[in-house]
Amino acid sequence: MERWNFVKKENNKLIYFKIPSYEKTGIVKHCFTTRVGGISPSPYKSLNLGTKTDDNWENIKENYNIICSTLEIKADNLVISDQVHKDNIFIVDKEHRGNGLFYDKKISEVDALIT
């Protein structure tokens, strides 16, 4: 089994991590974010992606836009759910695009999304 070697990336002020073996597939755009590189003020400190926080909603959307711009993907293709640690998996498709960011979350009580 290959070890997961995380590689630190920086783009402008954004700091995130990637797994090179995922990149090599050519089919997976991914990143593991830090809190660095966003626009949210204290107490959220920059890259707040928490949709259940009291941060300004426009800040949260812009933080997602920063990540999407860096990964060269469209923010309106994202699907966000209320994640919980259970064994529930939800299958998403085109009809779910924008869920949780551009319209109300309708996917809850799941631990993973697949497409």
Side-chain angles (χ1 to χ4, degrees), residues 76-79 91-99 103 115:
D76 58 357
N77 284 335
L78 294 179
V79 178
I91 300 171
V92 298
D93 56 32
K94 290 180 182 180
E95 75 182 56
H96 299 103
R97 285 193 255 185
N99 182 71
Y103 64 88
T115 181

Side-chain angles (χ1 to χ4, degrees), residues 7-18 31 34 36-38 46-47 63 65-73:
V7 175
K8 181 179 178 182
K9 302 281 189 172
E10 295 185 45
N11 185 340
N12 295 322
K13 295 179 183 178
L14 184 67
I15 297 176
Y16 59 101
F17 292 85
K18 290 191 153 218
C31 75
T34 67
V36 178
S46 199
L47 193 68
N63 288 336
N65 282 326
I66 290 168
I67 294 168
C68 289
S69 174
T70 299
L71 296 178
E72 298 178 342
I73 60 176

Side-chain angles (χ1 to χ4, degrees), residues 19-77:
I19 300 174
S21 61
Y22 286 13
E23 287 290 295
K24 288 179 187 175
T25 68
I27 59 172
V28 177
K29 290 202 178 194
H30 74 288
C31 75
F32 297 87
T33 61
T34 67
R35 296 192 66 107
V36 178
I39 65 163
S40 296
S42 183
Y44 305 106
K45 295 286 186 185
S46 199
L47 193 68
N48 177 36
L49 303 174
T51 59
K52 291 183 179 180
T53 65
D54 289 328
D55 193 0
N56 180 295
W57 185 244
E58 293 305 313
N59 291 344
I60 295 168
K61 287 195 318 189
E62 181 56 25
N63 288 336
Y64 275 102
N65 282 326
I66 290 168
I67 294 168
C68 289
S69 174
T70 299
L71 296 178
E72 298 178 342
I73 60 176
K74 295 180 181 180
D76 58 357
N77 284 335

